[in-house]
Amino acid sequence: MKTIAALQDLVTAVSLDMEPSAAELDAIELEMPVILADVDLLDAQIMTIDRTPTELDERRIRRARNRVLAARRDLTNRAGTVLTGGAA
């Protein structure tokens, strides 16, 4: 039987106390509207898990889905226009 203790150094060699880089924080900030829209959609869906959705619930879920799609569309459109490397 082989132990994995010898391989642990390779897996945990990097410190887990690292903070996210500025680029990672910028990426998260850029995606925040999509994340918040997804949370709203999940909240609307969770409210109807244990009961039959009413017309108001269906409308709430539909609007939340539309907000998710709009946020993803806006993120995709912004990602296509961002120029990197100082290019003009």
Side-chain angles (χ1 to χ4, degrees):
M1 182 166 144
K2 216 182 219 186
T3 62
I4 58 170
L7 299 177
Q8 242 175 353
D9 288 339
L10 297 175
V11 175
T12 59
V14 178
S15 174
L16 298 177
D17 295 331
M18 294 187 322
E19 296 291 326
S21 67
E24 291 170 333
L25 291 174
D26 289 341
I28 292 170
E29 186 176 338
L30 187 66
E31 293 177 10
M32 191 55 68
V34 175
I35 295 168
L36 294 176
D38 281 333
V39 168
D40 289 341
L41 176 59
L42 284 172
D43 285 342
Q45 291 172 334
I46 287 170
M47 289 191 325
T48 62
I49 284 177
D50 60 347
R51 62 183 166 98
T52 304
T54 64
E55 185 179 334
L56 181 63
D57 293 330
E58 290 173 0
R59 197 178 320 158
R60 185 178 293 126
I61 290 171
R62 185 176 60 247
R63 287 180 181 166
R65 280 187 187 134
N66 289 338
R67 283 192 297 271
V68 168
L69 291 174
R72 288 180 182 174
R73 179 198 61 218
D74 293 343
L75 178 65
T76 302
N77 288 341
R78 269 187 273 143
T81 61
V82 174
L83 298 177
T84 58

